[in-house]
């Protein structure tokens, strides 16, 4: 059963759920925060219960993958992190004057920058919501630096922290995303812009929950992407429409099975305690939760290499990609596909089976033709004349 982001389904006790997730994570292990980037990747593969549970429990998937013997080359280098932090500090220096200039604010000095400090994530979320309501009621430019937003995903709260949110005099809330990759001649790497757009779409969804209970507020479906201009460190801005990414992400998140349902299906005593369990114990624990591997996971999930190895061992057709998997219908293993192509198994009336047998026949016909041509070309001219 799936629950939408705004469904009215009865929820389990959050205290009980937290206890269950803490037991799965391991005693004394602090939960790893789920950020917008990870949430966008999770939404791209909503059928993967393994990732949903591990992310919901706050398990460090990178450490888990290393303990399983399948580490993934994930994460930014320290140099890239330092460069990104330095660029963001430059953009937000002097009360965000440079950022506001990029947004077209004529008098940046008159812009309000409220203090969003509070105790704990729940306190910061409440303080952000109050600041958004006050800024909307004031009808003036307001810059929220690193606000904290909350979004319920699969029955559990997720806290998200965009780089900035700007509130305009008309009550429009705009997400600002600051990236350190360059924008050359007004355009940037399409894949990086796409990733930033998907990440920003998650922030837009979280803002919409606050805007729904704030009079006069509306969330812009276009975000402001700030990057270095050309090969300099001078910031430049571009407006990115994220309506498509927002719709896709919302639909995919709504399909996620609630975490409490996934946890209930896990056998009692299972834990993903990386520090306290052996590699064999962790392997057994991970295999109790089904996964939905696809080649795209290699660029988005720390456990992708482990899941790929398991998928290959079982001969799953998912290793060939989602498109191929969709075309093969009920044929779920490579062995079943080959048997169907050879006519050893499968329903002849099944379109997938018929297509496979037709493809095999065409392949054999092409190979036979190539063999005949090869034989003919190997006959020497004197041999051909002797035959006459």
């Amino acid at each position: 059963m799936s629950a939408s982001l705004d469904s009215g389904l009865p929820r389990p006790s959050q205290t009980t759920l937290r206890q269950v997730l803490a037991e799965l994570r391991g005693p004394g292990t602090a939960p790893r925060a789920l950020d917008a980037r990870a949430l966008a990747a999770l939404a791209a593969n909503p059928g993967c219960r393994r990732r949903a549970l591990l992310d919901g429990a706050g398990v460090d998937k990178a450490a888990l993958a290393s303990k399983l013997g399948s580490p993934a080359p994930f994460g930014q280098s320290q140099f890239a992190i330092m460069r990104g932090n330095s660029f963001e500090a430059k953009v937000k220096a002097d009360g965000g004057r440079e950022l506001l200039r990029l947004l077209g604010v004529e008098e940046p000095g008159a812009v309000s920058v409220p203090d969003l400090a509070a105790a704990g994530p729940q306190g910061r979320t409440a303080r952000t919501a109050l600041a958004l309501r006050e800024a909307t009621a004031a009808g003036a430019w307001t810059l929220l630096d690193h606000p904290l937003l909350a979004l319920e995903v699969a029955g559990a709260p997720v806290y998200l922290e965009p780089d900035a949110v700007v509130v305009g005099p008309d009550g429009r809330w705009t997400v600002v995303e600051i990236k350190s990759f360059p924008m050359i001649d007004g355009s940037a790497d399409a894949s990086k812009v796409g990733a930033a757009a998907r990440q920003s779409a998650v922030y837009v969804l979280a803002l919409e929950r606050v805007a729904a209970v704030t009079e006069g507020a509306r969330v812009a479906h276009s975000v402001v992407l700030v990057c270095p201009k050309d090969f300099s460190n001078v910031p430049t801005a571009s407006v990115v429409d994220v309506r498509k990414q927002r719709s896709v992400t919302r639909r995919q998140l709504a399909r996620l099975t609630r975490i409490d349902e996934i946890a209930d299906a896990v056998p009692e005593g299972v834990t993903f305690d990386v520090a306290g369990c052996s590699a064999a114990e962790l392997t057994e624990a991970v295999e109790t939760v089904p996964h939905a591997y696809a080649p795209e996971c290699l660029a988005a999930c720390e456990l992708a290499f482990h899941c790929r190895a398991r998928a290959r061992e079982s001969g799953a057709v998912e290793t060939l990609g989602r498109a191929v998997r969709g075309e093969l219908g009920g044929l779920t293993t490579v062995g079943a596909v080959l048997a169907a192509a050879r006519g050893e198994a499968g329903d002849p009336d099944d379109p997938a089976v018929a297509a496979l047998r037709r493809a095999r026949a065409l392949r054999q016909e092409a190979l036979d033709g190539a063999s005949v041509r090869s034989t003919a070309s190997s006959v020497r001219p004197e041999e051909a004349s002797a035959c006459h």
Side-chain angles (χ1 to χ4, degrees):
M1 179 177 65
S2 297
S4 68
L5 296 175
D6 301 311
S7 68
L9 294 176
R11 301 177 185 175
S13 168
Q14 287 300 311
T15 302
T16 302
L17 179 58
R18 289 195 185 97
Q19 291 175 346
V20 171
L21 296 179
E23 291 173 359
L24 290 172
R25 186 172 59 247
T29 304
R32 188 175 181 84
L34 184 63
D35 58 14
R37 183 177 300 176
L39 194 57
L42 179 61
N45 190 7
C48 187
R49 293 191 165 209
R50 180 176 296 174
R51 172 156 193 167
L53 181 61
L54 293 175
D55 281 344
V59 176
D60 187 344
K61 297 196 302 297
L64 178 60
S66 296
K67 193 71 174 283
L68 293 174
S70 302
F74 265 61
Q76 288 181 301
S77 66
Q78 287 300 315
F79 173 76
I81 293 174
M82 292 175 59
R83 182 183 59 188
N85 292 339
S86 174
F87 179 69
E88 181 176 341
K90 176 180 176 64
V91 173
K92 293 181 178 179
D94 195 16
R97 179 176 294 274
E98 184 68 17
L99 172 59
L100 295 167
R101 181 189 65 79
L102 293 173
L103 294 174
V105 180
E106 296 180 358
E107 298 181 9
V111 176
S112 173
V113 185
D115 182 10
L116 302 179
Q122 294 179 337
R124 288 186 59 198
T125 301
R127 181 67 188 91
T128 295
L130 177 61
L132 286 168
R133 286 194 292 269
E134 291 175 345
T136 304
W141 286 102
T142 303
L143 172 64
L144 276 66
D145 185 8
H146 281 290
L148 195 66
L149 308 170
L151 187 64
E152 184 176 305
V153 179
V158 175
Y159 296 102
L160 309 166
E161 188 176 2
D163 291 330
V165 171
V166 175
V167 179
D170 58 352
R172 183 191 295 267
W173 302 353
T174 303
V175 172
V176 177
E177 190 66 13
I178 302 173
K179 297 295 184 182
S180 60
F181 56 80
M183 192 175 295
I184 301 174
D185 291 335
S187 63
D189 183 276
S191 62
K192 294 180 179 179
V193 173
R198 289 189 295 272
Q199 182 178 342
S200 299
V202 177
Y203 299 139
V204 170
L205 287 174
L207 274 177
E208 287 178 343
R209 295 176 66 86
V210 184
V213 293
T214 303
E215 183 178 356
R218 55 196 179 101
V219 181
H221 290 163
S222 294
V223 303
V224 177
L225 178 63
V226 180
C227 300
K229 183 178 181 181
D230 297 329
F231 300 100
S232 69
N233 202 36
V234 177
T236 186
S238 177
V239 177
V240 180
D241 191 330
V242 297
R243 283 178 294 182
K244 179 180 179 181
Q245 291 84 355
R246 170 193 169 276
S247 298
V248 171
T249 302
R250 182 180 179 83
R251 183 171 63 252
Q252 298 292 64
L253 290 179
R255 292 175 55 193
L256 287 173
T257 305
R258 295 178 64 89
I259 291 177
D260 57 303
E261 295 179 10
I262 304 175
D264 287 343
V266 176
E268 188 175 355
V270 168
T271 179
F272 306 104
D273 185 3
V274 177
C277 295
S278 65
E281 291 171 332
L282 288 173
T283 300
E284 184 178 352
V286 167
E287 293 306 313
T288 62
V289 188
H291 67 91
Y293 171 77
E296 294 84 353
C297 296
L298 295 174
C301 181
E302 295 87 341
L303 278 179
F305 289 90
H306 173 80
C307 296
R308 182 180 66 176
R310 290 290 185 252
R312 285 177 172 176
E313 289 175 6
S314 63
V317 296
E318 283 80 2
T319 59
L320 304 177
R322 289 195 179 103
V324 176
R325 174 67 187 91
E327 293 291 338
L328 293 174
L331 302 173
T332 58
T333 66
V334 175
V337 171
L338 296 177
R342 291 192 296 262
E344 300 171 358
D347 182 2
D349 295 329
D350 186 337
V353 174
L356 286 169
R357 292 179 181 176
R358 176 60 177 163
R360 184 175 185 273
L362 291 173
R363 175 180 179 276
Q364 190 60 48
E365 181 180 335
L367 291 175
D368 292 343
S371 177
V372 170
R373 288 193 297 272
S374 176
T375 303
S377 62
S378 64
V379 178
R380 295 194 296 270
E382 56 270 19
E383 292 178 348
S385 60
C387 292
H388 295 291

